[in-house]
Amino acid sequence: MSELKQTFNSSLGKKLIMALTGLFLCVFLIVHLGGNLLLFKHDNGYSFNMYANFLTHFPPIEVIAYILYLCIIVHAIYAYILTTNNRHARPVDYAVHTKSPVSFSSKNMGLLGSILLVFIVIHMGDFWYKYKFTHSVGYKEYRTNLLTNQTTVTDFTPQTADFEHSQSFDGDTEIIRVKDLHSRIVASFSIWWYVLIYVISMVALSFHLVHGFQSAFHTFGWVHRKYKPIYEFIGTWLFAVIIPLGFAAMPIVYFIQSLNK
Amino acid sequence: MSNANGTMNLTLKVWRQPNAQTAGKFETYKAENISPDMSFLEMLDVVNESIIHTKQDPIHFDHDCREGICGMCSLYINGRPHGPKRAITTCQLHMRSFTDGETITIEPWRAKAFPVIKDLAVDRSAFDRIQQAGGYISVNTGGVPDANEIPIPKVIADEAFNSATCIQCGACVAACKNASAMLFTSAKITQLALLPQGQPERYRRVQSMVAQMDAEGFGSCTNTGACEAECPKEITLTNIAHMNFDFFSAKLFREEEVHAENHGG
Ligand code: FES
């Protein structure tokens, strides 16, 4: 066995892989939340659709996206391997279940992670997959008068099925035609149980990260009192509160807007 | 809490298992007229007396010093290793920590790497093998060196001493939902890694002890902290972090080869 292989096959090596992939996913969440704040712009989805188009057509981001998918898969597979090993380490269970004082999150990382995995499949299936690989997402045409800065929106049907995005000018009017993921989101987030799935998943995310983020640093062995409070603070407030709240706000706000229509 | 006579009557549900090959089951026993000032092990002695009087096989359990220093006693009592009190071993647990009339469930440490020898006694030799894999230092023979010849800062000495208080009882494994031995292994590694005397083997030690720990079939840590909460000597999770750090330093950043020999298991 090569030395590196030996390292990553050890119990500590597997934990290192969990920690590294987990932290990468945490960083992604920040970017994902930041970008998706465009959903809160009242411009008929113009900024958001342009952003979605940019993400799927800018090669460096596409590369990072594939690293991201790989991280999700590796994180899940290693979690499965470690959990199975851990179960095997205690073949006969206790009759009286443990009363040791430990946090709910740390005891239920596997369950929380499984909820998140199901969520990711639903989420990517509904938006990412449909956007990239099917023709079920419509198009919008934004006409902006460059003198008055007035924009009008209409639906648009392209000549060819794999049309993605175009920009043209008609005198003083800029015409932008782009795939309309925004309407897809409006439609999905007007279904109450769909919104509920999102909210429950974000609760699971919060509990997963309140343990997971700081646990990763523990796995690296970085527990000095000088910086431990810093990552515990970030893990709690940014990853277990702000990020899940931010994400949960999107389906909730869109659902409320759909009621007023 | 005792009754009006100042004694206690208890019901015990005790795990009985003839050997590792035979399946075990719970048996119920009455423990009557128990003094609240007895230790938990003395209470079991009383119960065993009456079992012996009926010419039956007494309950087997491990014990030695009975003063909390040897690490021989064990017992998973009502869902907690060493019972409900913090930072003590079963031999230091008094019956006044229970209430008159209570039912107490007593189980052995449960882990694949700790097979049952008989009833409540389990085989903890996996810990010995981990220790043998690297938990030592090399010392030249010859004259006895002077005490305090090597200066060691107080904070470091204290930290190493805290790690060294581990008595190898195995409560960490018993408490851990993953039956992980990382608290034990890391305490042994950290104790030596902190001190100047432990430096020559430092990076080889961490690799071979972790390899042996994995070979014994313990689970792996999820930083849950049940071990730290249940350790009679209050060994902290920080030891595990120290071990992780040294392990990754050794594996990824250092030229330190290890030819891990597995000592059975
Ligand atoms: S019998 Fe020695 S520590 Fe309990």
Side-chain angles (χ1 to χ4, degrees), chain B residues 87-194:
Chain B
I88 54 166
T89 53
T90 297
C91 58
Q92 296 171 294
L93 176 65
H94 289 100
M95 294 315 293
R96 54 178 172 266
S97 304
F98 299 88
T99 42
D100 182 43
E102 193 176 338
T103 300
I104 305 174
T105 308
I106 311 170
E107 299 176 70
W109 286 174
R110 295 202 190 274
K112 186 170 130 225
F114 285 167
V116 170
I117 298 170
K118 190 171 165 59
D119 298 339
L120 302 170
V122 298
D123 180 357
R124 285 170 281 184
S125 57
F127 271 12
D128 299 335
R129 289 187 293 271
I130 294 174
Q131 186 73 309
Q132 284 154 10
Y136 51 78
I137 58 165
S138 302
V139 179
N140 288 332
T141 52
V144 181
D146 288 337
N148 298 326
E149 196 186 8
I150 307 167
I152 300 168
K154 172 92 166 79
V155 264
I156 300 291
D158 286 351
E159 221 186 321
F161 186 79
N162 286 341
S163 303
T165 54
C166 166
I167 52 174
Q168 307 200 16
C169 65
C172 44
V173 175
C176 177
K177 71 181 176 70
N178 312 317
S180 165
M182 287 198 190
L183 193 69
F184 159 76
T185 310
S186 67
K188 297 299 169 194
I189 290 170
T190 306
Q191 171 201 343
L192 299 176
L194 286 169

Side-chain angles (χ1 to χ4, degrees), chain A residues 139 141 156-164 166 177:
Chain A
Y139 294 83
E141 180 177 290
F156 162 74
T157 318
Q159 308 292 329
T160 56
D162 17 288
F163 177 85
E164 293 278 347
S166 75
R177 291 162 176 164

Side-chain angles (χ1 to χ4, degrees), chain B residues 41 63-73 89-91 167:
Chain B
L41 298 186
H63 61 105
D64 191 7
C65 71
R66 297 211 175 192
E67 55 183 8
I69 54 170
C70 76
M72 204 51 203
C73 60
T89 53
T90 297
C91 58
I167 52 174

Side-chain angles (χ1 to χ4, degrees), chain A residues 55-71:
Chain A
L55 287 188
T56 43
H57 291 86
F58 187 54
I61 290 197
E62 286 204 89
V63 172
I64 294 173
Y66 281 100
I67 296 175
L68 176 75
Y69 310 145
L70 189 72
C71 276

Side-chain angles (χ1 to χ4, degrees), chain B:
Chain B
M1 285 307 106
S2 52
N3 55 28
N5 318 328
T7 62
M8 306 169 78
N9 294 325
L10 302 153
T11 308
L12 306 183
K13 277 179 69 191
V14 183
W15 184 258
R16 302 299 310 260
Q17 183 172 349
N19 52 51
Q21 287 73 41
T22 320
K25 61 173 190 313
F26 283 102
E27 296 283 359
T28 307
Y29 299 92
K30 291 270 174 240
E32 266 146 11
N33 293 321
I34 299 296
S35 156
D37 298 328
M38 278 180 186
S39 80
F40 199 84
L41 298 186
E42 284 168 329
M43 180 275 294
L44 285 178
D45 291 338
V46 172
V47 174
N48 270 347
E49 284 290 326
S50 56
I51 296 179
I52 291 167
H53 275 303
T54 61
K55 299 233 172 329
Q56 279 174 318
D57 197 16
I59 302 162
H60 287 244
F61 58 90
D62 274 323
H63 61 105
D64 191 7
C65 71
R66 297 211 175 192
E67 55 183 8
I69 54 170
C70 76
M72 204 51 203
C73 60
S74 54
L75 306 187
Y76 193 82
I77 303 162
N78 284 346
R80 296 186 70 171
H82 295 302
K85 285 268 144 89
R86 218 189 140 84
I88 54 166
T89 53
T90 297
C91 58
Q92 296 171 294
L93 176 65
H94 289 100
M95 294 315 293
R96 54 178 172 266
S97 304
F98 299 88
T99 42
D100 182 43
E102 193 176 338
T103 300
I104 305 174
T105 308
I106 311 170
E107 299 176 70
W109 286 174
R110 295 202 190 274
K112 186 170 130 225
F114 285 167
V116 170
I117 298 170
K118 190 171 165 59
D119 298 339
L120 302 170
V122 298
D123 180 357
R124 285 170 281 184
S125 57
F127 271 12
D128 299 335
R129 289 187 293 271
I130 294 174
Q131 186 73 309
Q132 284 154 10
Y136 51 78
I137 58 165
S138 302
V139 179
N140 288 332
T141 52
V144 181
D146 288 337
N148 298 326
E149 196 186 8
I150 307 167
I152 300 168
K154 172 92 166 79
V155 264
I156 300 291
D158 286 351
E159 221 186 321
F161 186 79
N162 286 341
S163 303
T165 54
C166 166
I167 52 174
Q168 307 200 16
C169 65
C172 44
V173 175
C176 177
K177 71 181 176 70
N178 312 317
S180 165
M182 287 198 190
L183 193 69
F184 159 76
T185 310
S186 67
K188 297 299 169 194
I189 290 170
T190 306
Q191 171 201 343
L192 299 176
L194 286 169
L195 296 173
Q197 292 90 334
Q199 296 313 306
E201 297 95 348
R202 178 172 176 182
Y203 292 101
R204 195 169 338 143
R205 175 185 307 118
V206 64
Q207 296 180 72
S208 28
M209 288 180 75
V210 168
Q212 187 63 36
M213 174 184 79
D214 287 350
E216 296 290 348
F218 290 104
S220 42
C221 176
T222 45
N223 302 331
T224 302
C227 54
E228 175 183 66
E230 299 297 356
C231 175
K233 299 298 161 190
E234 302 187 292
I235 305 283
T236 61
L237 275 188
T238 313
N239 285 276
I240 300 183
H242 277 310
M243 171 179 74
N244 296 347
F245 196 87
D246 271 13
F247 180 82
F248 297 131
S249 308
K251 287 287 189 195
L252 304 173
F253 305 109
R254 276 169 198 276
E255 276 308 322
E256 191 85 38
E257 267 190 61
V258 69
H259 302 287
E261 330 100 65
N262 291 346
H263 305 264

Side-chain angles (χ1 to χ4, degrees), chain A residues 7 10-12 15 82 86 88-90 92-96 98-100 102 106 211 215 218-223, chain B residues 26 76 79 107-108 110-112 173-174 176 178 214 219-224 226 230 237 241 244-245 247-248 251:
Chain A
T7 303
S10 69
S11 55
L12 293 187
K15 279 160 52 69
L82 281 167
N86 289 346
H88 287 161
R90 176 165 293 137
V92 183
D93 206 357
Y94 289 113
V96 180
T98 170
K99 302 214 167 38
S100 306
V102 293
S106 68
H211 177 71
S215 181
H218 205 277
T219 297
F220 297 154
W222 297 349
V223 289
Chain B
F26 283 102
Y76 193 82
E107 299 176 70
R110 295 202 190 274
K112 186 170 130 225
V173 175
C176 177
N178 312 317
D214 287 350
S220 42
C221 176
T222 45
N223 302 331
T224 302
E230 299 297 356
L237 275 188
N244 296 347
F245 196 87
F247 180 82
F248 297 131
K251 287 287 189 195

